[in-house]
Amino acid sequence: MGWQVDHIWPRSKGGSDAGRNLQALQTSANKRKSNKIPGRSKTRFRKRRW
C-alpha cells in the first residue's frame, strides 16, 4: 500500500491547502475517510459484554 496526502478538513467542505490542514494517510485509510470531517462521524459503537 502507498501513502497519500490528505486534507484533514476536506476541500469540498471548505478546507484549505495550508500545511496545518494536511496529513499523510495510507491509501486504504484515505479511501475510508473520503470527505468526512474529523470528530463528526455518525458511526455508533456497540458496547462489548465481557
Side-chain angles (χ1 to χ4, degrees):
M1 290 291 191
W3 290 82
Q4 295 179 340
V5 175
D6 173 61
H7 292 83
I8 298 168
W9 195 271
R11 291 187 67 202
S12 64
K13 308 271 181 169
S16 71
D17 288 330
R20 66 181 182 271
N21 190 40
L22 301 176
Q23 65 182 350
L25 278 183
Q26 285 186 337
T27 303
S28 59
N30 197 15
K31 286 180 182 178
R32 280 193 310 271
K33 181 179 176 274
S34 183
N35 70 339
K36 295 178 184 78
I37 297 173
R40 296 194 182 187
S41 173
K42 293 182 180 180
T43 304
R44 296 186 182 239
F45 297 96
R46 294 184 301 167
K47 286 187 177 181
R48 285 187 170 177
R49 292 184 183 200
W50 298 100

